[in-house]
Amino acid sequence: MAKTRDRARERVGSPLDTLHFALDRSSPVPLYYQLAQQLEAAIEHGALAPGNLLGNEIDLSTRLGLSRPTVRQAIQSLVDKGLLVRRRGVGTQVVHSQVKRSLELSSLYDDLEAAGQGPTTRVVRNETVPASADVAAALGLAEGADVILLERLRSTHGQPVALLCNYLPAGLLDLDTARLETTGLYRMMRAAGVTLHSARQTVGARSATAEEAARLDEKEGAAVLTMQRTAYDDTGRAVEYGSHIYRASRYAFDFQLLVRT
Amino acid sequence: MAKTRDRARERVGSPLDTLHFALDRSSPVPLYYQLAQQLEAAIEHGALAPGNLLGNEIDLSTRLGLSRPTVRQAIQSLVDKGLLVRRRGVGTQVVHSQVKRSLELSSLYDDLEAAGQGPTTRVVRNETVPASADVAAALGLAEGADVILLERLRSTHGQPVALLCNYLPAGLLDLDTARLETTGLYRMMRAAGVTLHSARQTVGARSATAEEAARLDEKEGAAVLTMQRTAYDDTGRAVEYGSHIYRASRYAFDFQLLVRT
DNA sequence: CAGTGGTCTAGACCACATT
DNA sequence: ATGTGGTCTAGACCACTGC
């Protein structure tokens, strides 16, 4: 520490200077997206280290043969993802490693997207029933309207993890039991042309009933996580309501918040 | 229904045509932001009803005397908030009411921002201690380094709701106990110049220990929600680690997911 | 003061959905 | 064929930061 030259910030070229970006203007993939992906890859594999400055946007755009707005759009998307931080008068830098590690963790979103991808899923029930009052309310249907009731048991390593109970408006989707066990509900919905837009979730806890405990291989009264979710497509229609129970001893929700500024 | 003229979609002017937007170019508030706020207000108070088309961006920009990119930026911010949906070849419309209601619900973020705002908070401990291994790891400090330990009991309506245990790097902040009970931790951090950037959270459940049960006015073995959170500032420094317990009978996490497209 | 990001303009062409 | 949003350009001026 003693002999370190104390020019706190030597002005150095950005590590970006030596990086090569391959932009394909004939690709249908937008240029800003191509750039964002390659920047993200550079961050991920360490070519851009935490704290590194990216160098100003103007230089970058001329070097890449892009306009500044396009470069900004690419950078902004990574800022929105939490990988970069912008500071006026300073520059754009890669967030520090501790934060990055967190960002790589699985999120609740993954759980949503990949629902059904867990090692094994067994479909316990898959039938059409009249909607109860609460289900009808959640899906925006009339009480007694036909809904598909889906009950699944999810396991990992041969141990039950969760009891999933879903309701979908009848006719929205063809729910083949065999496919459900391998493909996952959300993937099937996507394949059927349902584009998810948003979902509202509530996570709570309570003690397992005797029946739940038996199904989940827990003791009666053990703590379980509960989750209710209503998912909407991009027309605002409720397309799924789920009421799920997770073994607290084997599952936790893990996710990331980005603070909107 | 019988005599309705069945031109399924009569081309009508957007409800936006009759709306007035007051843009102040001398204001330091960006134009796109002014527009976004006024659009959001129009949606909220019903001038723009769910399903309404906004009309094309070009017309809107000329009517407002703005450039198209500026108008797009305003619209995009509302799309990101989940209030609007864009469809190529169709237009931009207000999402349907069911989704909107969900969006208005409190989110985990509110919990973060407003931590301490709950009716009453009692500070049980507020002292400097050496960091244990797990706390040191979470905060990125050396084991044994000084950290502030904060223990609070939060209540609503005279009933305990949560037991909050926070660790902060020593010297980051002056934590006055009296202010903590009225102002909230995150507000105090913000006031001290700490700008939050992101946080990673894990939500789980377990049975309450005897001591926890006593403090939360529950029975031993009652299910409680657990939450661990590490918060980072915009330099990537960990500025807070919390390990909290909530009474499952009185609290649940409620939040919204927007599906990135 | 110099350098950075933040905002804004006035166009352009394209892909896509609907008619 | 028409109208929409999606993308892109090549500039401009301002506000803030750090020296």
Side-chain angles (χ1 to χ4, degrees):
Chain A
M1 230 192 249
K3 295 191 83 170
T4 310
R5 277 226 283 162
D6 224 347
R7 257 203 287 159
R9 282 158 225 264
E10 312 192 19
R11 180 155 306 279
V12 293
S14 160
L16 225 61
D17 296 347
T18 62
L19 254 58
H20 179 65
F21 292 97
L23 300 172
D24 177 5
R25 296 190 101 95
S26 70
S27 161
V29 178
L31 292 172
Y32 78 88
Y33 193 80
Q34 293 183 36
L35 177 54
Q37 280 187 316
Q38 291 176 45
L39 279 172
E40 185 167 357
I43 292 169
E44 188 136 354
H45 100 288
L48 285 175
N52 279 174
L53 286 172
L54 252 62
N56 76 57
E57 299 170 350
I58 315 267
D59 287 356
L60 189 53
S61 57
T62 59
R63 275 207 305 120
L64 296 175
L66 297 173
S67 69
R68 185 183 170 203
T70 302
V71 171
R72 271 186 71 80
Q73 195 174 0
I75 292 177
Q76 188 59 46
S77 71
L78 296 187
V79 171
D80 292 341
K81 274 196 187 180
L83 290 173
L84 298 177
V85 181
R86 284 203 225 248
R87 295 168 199 262
R88 175 147 37 176
V90 179
T92 303
Q93 38 185 317
V94 181
V95 298
H96 285 82
S97 46
Q98 209 168 20
V99 178
K100 277 223 316 287
R101 265 197 297 280
S102 306
L103 289 167
E104 288 155 12
L105 293 172
S106 79
S107 71
L108 252 182
Y109 178 79
D110 295 325
D111 180 67
L112 188 156
E113 252 262 336
Q117 248 190 337
T120 69
T121 302
R122 186 162 60 82
V123 174
V124 180
R125 296 176 69 183
N126 180 359
E127 53 199 50
T128 301
V129 300
S132 62
D134 56 336
V135 170
L139 292 178
L141 301 173
E143 192 171 340
D146 275 358
V147 293
I148 297 173
L149 162 59
L150 197 58
E151 214 175 288
R152 294 171 293 169
L153 182 67
R154 177 149 309 157
S155 307
T156 57
H157 308 107
Q159 290 276 322
V161 175
L163 210 47
L164 310 175
C165 183
N166 293 91
Y167 300 87
L168 294 84
L172 180 71
L173 195 59
D174 192 41
L175 285 173
D176 180 66
T177 295
R179 281 184 59 103
L180 262 173
E181 299 200 332
T182 58
T183 307
L185 178 57
Y186 281 89
R187 207 170 293 264
M188 284 182 73
M189 289 174 64
R190 190 187 190 101
V194 177
T195 61
L196 254 40
H197 170 254
S198 61
R200 180 183 159 252
Q201 309 192 146
T202 304
V203 173
R206 58 178 169 79
S207 298
T209 67
E211 191 201 332
E212 291 162 353
R215 293 229 245 168
L216 288 174
D217 202 10
E218 286 275 354
K219 277 181 284 201
E220 184 173 350
V224 292
L225 271 169
T226 64
M227 194 261 275
Q228 285 85 242
R229 172 164 59 206
T230 308
Y232 304 91
D233 74 0
D234 56 5
T235 71
R237 201 176 34 158
V239 291
E240 181 241 350
Y241 169 70
S243 181
H244 307 149
I245 299 172
Y246 299 83
R247 289 176 74 174
S249 56
R250 304 202 56 213
Y251 196 86
F253 292 99
D254 193 300
F255 51 98
Q256 182 78 20
L257 285 184
L258 288 178
V259 177
R260 53 191 176 209
T261 45
Chain B
M1 230 193 245
K3 295 190 82 166
T4 310
R5 277 224 285 161
D6 223 346
R7 258 202 287 158
R9 281 158 227 263
E10 312 192 21
R11 181 155 305 278
V12 294
S14 160
L16 226 60
D17 296 347
T18 62
L19 254 58
H20 178 67
F21 293 97
L23 298 173
D24 178 5
R25 296 191 100 93
S26 67
S27 162
V29 178
L31 291 172
Y32 78 89
Y33 193 81
Q34 294 183 36
L35 177 55
Q37 280 188 316
Q38 292 176 44
L39 279 172
E40 185 168 358
I43 292 170
E44 187 135 356
H45 101 287
L48 284 175
N52 278 174
L53 285 172
L54 253 61
N56 75 56
E57 300 169 347
I58 314 268
D59 286 356
L60 190 53
S61 56
T62 59
R63 275 206 306 118
L64 295 175
L66 296 173
S67 70
R68 184 181 170 205
T70 302
V71 171
R72 270 186 72 81
Q73 194 173 359
I75 292 177
Q76 188 59 46
S77 71
L78 297 187
V79 171
D80 292 342
K81 273 195 188 181
L83 290 173
L84 298 177
V85 181
R86 283 205 229 247
R87 296 168 199 261
R88 173 145 42 173
V90 179
T92 303
Q93 40 185 314
V94 181
V95 298
H96 285 83
S97 46
Q98 209 170 20
V99 179
K100 278 223 317 285
R101 265 195 300 281
S102 306
L103 289 167
E104 288 155 11
L105 293 172
S106 78
S107 69
L108 251 183
Y109 179 79
D110 295 327
D111 180 66
L112 188 155
E113 251 262 336
Q117 247 189 338
T120 67
T121 301
R122 186 163 59 82
V123 174
V124 181
R125 295 175 70 184
N126 180 357
E127 53 200 48
T128 302
V129 300
S132 63
D134 55 336
V135 170
L139 292 178
L141 302 173
E143 192 172 342
D146 275 357
V147 293
I148 296 173
L149 162 59
L150 197 59
E151 213 174 289
R152 293 171 295 168
L153 182 67
R154 176 150 310 156
S155 308
T156 56
H157 309 106
Q159 289 276 325
V161 175
L163 210 48
L164 310 175
C165 183
N166 293 90
Y167 300 87
L168 294 84
L172 181 71
L173 197 59
D174 193 42
L175 285 173
D176 180 66
T177 295
R179 283 184 59 104
L180 262 174
E181 299 200 333
T182 58
T183 307
L185 178 57
Y186 281 89
R187 207 170 294 263
M188 284 183 72
M189 288 173 63
R190 190 186 190 102
V194 177
T195 61
L196 252 39
H197 170 255
S198 62
R200 181 183 158 251
Q201 308 191 143
T202 304
V203 173
R206 59 177 169 80
S207 298
T209 67
E211 191 200 332
E212 290 162 355
R215 294 228 245 167
L216 288 174
D217 202 9
E218 287 275 355
K219 277 180 284 202
E220 184 173 349
V224 292
L225 270 169
T226 63
M227 194 261 276
Q228 284 85 244
R229 172 164 57 205
T230 308
Y232 304 90
D233 72 2
D234 57 4
T235 71
R237 202 176 33 159
V239 291
E240 182 240 351
Y241 169 69
S243 181
H244 307 148
I245 299 171
Y246 299 83
R247 288 176 75 173
S249 57
R250 304 201 56 212
Y251 195 87
F253 292 99
D254 193 301
F255 51 97
Q256 182 77 21
L257 286 184
L258 288 178
V259 177
R260 55 192 174 204
T261 45

